[in-house]
Structures are given as structure tokens and as C-alpha cells.
Amino acid sequence: MKNETAKLMTLIRERAPLVLHITNSVTVNDCACAAICAGGSPVMSGSAEDAAELAALAGAVVLNIGTVSDDSIEVMIKAGKAANVSGRTVILDPVGAGATRYRTDAALRILDEVNVSIIKGNAGEIGTLAGAGGRMKGVDSEGVDGDPVEACVSLSKSIGAVVVMTGPVDIVTDGTRIAVINNGHAMMGRVSGTGCMVSSVIGCYASCTDDAFTAAAAALAVFGIAGSKAAKRTKGPGSFLTDLKDELSSLSVNEVIPLANIRLM
């Protein structure tokens, strides 16, 4: 998949796809920066009417429940349905699913009412939604009972979407194909925002292909490579986010091809 990753990376930088975000207020600026640095054009919205109109124009829509509320759920559902009508890709980041019943129910409601193409979460979030005993401490994962690959495949088949489980090693599956991505660095888990940011990058990649599986795997590899490069020169967590954005922006296709560590199972 190295060549596919390189081709998508080039397409994104040529097209600058519009990616709509209804996202976490804690990380909204980092998400916007990640999309820009990946080559996309982010737009954020919190209004149901505005989001629905933008969803029809965007290449992809990212729904992130990190700072969830009754109002934001309604905005996400309306935008998601508008994206479905227009044939746009919808990515759901179920932040904190499993931490509280409210968050879990919010994620399940969105999955029930919106045709989600990609769901991206950590092991605890994906395990919870798959019914595989996901464990959460707030929005941080404490793992999943059983085989994480099996949990991903099970959830993918049940909801008909590509499932991404992020962690030290990332897993992507469409229920049939399975990819393991071994890029990234431990520093990425020591700062707030990298999980939300990778959803934005996935949105950019999914805007330029109909193959959501390839888009997700490619985005994870590219983001992980940028994280590894940033970790080599950063002074610590405070400067890491800045270095990560710089590396994501300056990363070349010639670097990605040899460094992308994507293994098909």
C-alpha cells in the first residue's frame, strides 16, 4: 500500500479538499492545523443549518464527540444525513465512548441514524462499541478484553463501516481486509489532541478516494511518520505538537514510500 499512500498524499496536496468538522472544542485548532498541514482545507461548524449546507460541499465530514452535548449531537446527525444524501464520506470519532453511558449512547445514536463510512477510536472506545469489553479512564483507553483485531472486524461487519483502532500499533479493517500500521511514536500519546488530529487527516485522505480502507491506512501511516520525525527533534510535550505539524506539512512523498509501515494480514 506504499504506492497508494504516496498517490493519495499527492492528490490531497493538489486538490486541497474541503473537510467539514463538527468537533471537540478542546482540540479544534489542532484539528484545523492538522488538516491544513496534510494538504486539506478545514471548515468548522456548530450550527445545524450551516453544517448541513457545508456537508453537501465538503469532500468529507468529521464528527467528533469529545465535548458532546444534546445540541452538538443534533448538529452532527443533521450534517451526517446531509453528507449521506450528497454521497460524502462521514468519519466518526467516538471520543470517550465507554467512559459514560451518555457518550456511548451518543455514538450509538449517530451510528444508527447516519451512514458512517469510517469510525476511528482507541482500543477502549472501539471495544465498547463492539461489545468486546472496552475499558476507559475518561477519554483515555485502558484496553480491550480479548483480541483487538477480532473486535475491529466484528464492529466493522456489524455497522458496515471501516473501523480504525489507534494505539501503539494501529489496526484498520473493512471486515474483510485488515491492515496493521506500525508508524508513530510514544510521544503522540503524551499530548492532548493527536487522536482528534488523525481523524482530520483521515478526512483529508477519504476526500480523495472511494476506498475508505486505503484512505484510513494511508492517513495513519503518514501521520505516524510525521510523529516519529517530530519526536526525534522535540524538546518535550509542549513543543511536540508544533513539531508534529511542521513535519506533517513538510513530509515528502519520497520519505513516505520507504517509511510507511503498513502490513496486510
Side-chain angles (χ1 to χ4, degrees), residues 12-264:
I12 292 160
R13 290 176 171 179
E14 290 175 350
R15 297 179 181 177
L18 183 67
V19 180
L20 170 62
H21 296 67
I22 298 127
T23 192
N24 187 343
S25 62
V26 175
T27 60
V28 62
N29 185 65
D30 289 326
C31 290
C33 289
I36 293 169
C37 291
S41 177
V43 60
M44 276 57 183
S45 183
S47 161
E49 296 302 325
D50 179 63
E53 188 174 349
L54 286 167
L57 303 173
V61 177
V62 177
L63 309 177
N64 178 312
I65 68 168
T67 45
V68 67
S69 68
D70 290 352
D71 288 343
S72 68
I73 294 170
E74 298 302 328
V75 174
M76 290 182 193
I77 290 173
K78 189 158 187 176
K81 288 181 175 179
N84 290 163
V85 170
S86 299
R88 311 303 185 189
T89 299
V90 178
I91 298 103
L92 174 63
D93 193 337
V95 178
T100 66
R101 171 50 56 186
Y102 184 79
R103 286 173 181 266
T104 304
D105 287 347
L108 291 173
R109 183 183 168 199
I110 293 168
L111 288 171
D112 183 57
E113 297 192 36
V114 176
N115 181 14
V116 171
S117 300
I118 302 170
I119 179 167
K120 187 242 65 165
N122 60 34
E125 293 157 353
I126 297 300
T128 294
L129 297 176
R135 301 184 304 279
M136 296 292 294
K137 181 180 181 181
V139 299
D140 295 324
S141 172
E142 291 194 328
V144 57
D145 296 335
D147 187 329
V149 173
E150 290 181 3
C152 290
V153 171
S154 174
L155 181 59
S156 178
K157 289 180 176 179
S158 69
I159 64 175
V162 168
V163 171
V164 176
M165 181 186 286
T166 56
V169 175
D170 301 318
I171 301 165
V172 180
T173 183
D174 61 3
T176 302
R177 295 176 292 176
I178 301 168
V180 176
I181 298 92
N182 196 9
N183 290 113
H185 191 277
M187 181 66 78
M188 299 172 80
R190 293 181 59 197
V191 297
S192 173
T194 53
C196 299
M197 291 166 71
V198 77
S199 294
S200 298
V201 178
I202 291 172
C204 293
Y205 277 70
S207 295
C208 292
T209 178
D210 292 330
D211 186 347
F213 172 81
T214 297
L220 287 163
V222 168
F223 193 70
I225 292 166
S228 293
K229 292 189 68 183
K232 291 178 181 178
R233 66 186 182 93
T234 193
K235 294 180 179 179
S239 58
F240 176 73
L241 277 178
T242 299
D243 292 334
L244 173 59
K245 294 167 190 174
D246 286 345
E247 292 293 350
L248 184 60
S249 178
S250 63
L251 195 62
S252 73
V253 171
N254 289 335
E255 290 176 288
V256 166
I257 291 175
L259 292 176
N261 191 344
I262 306 171
R263 178 172 61 88
L264 296 176

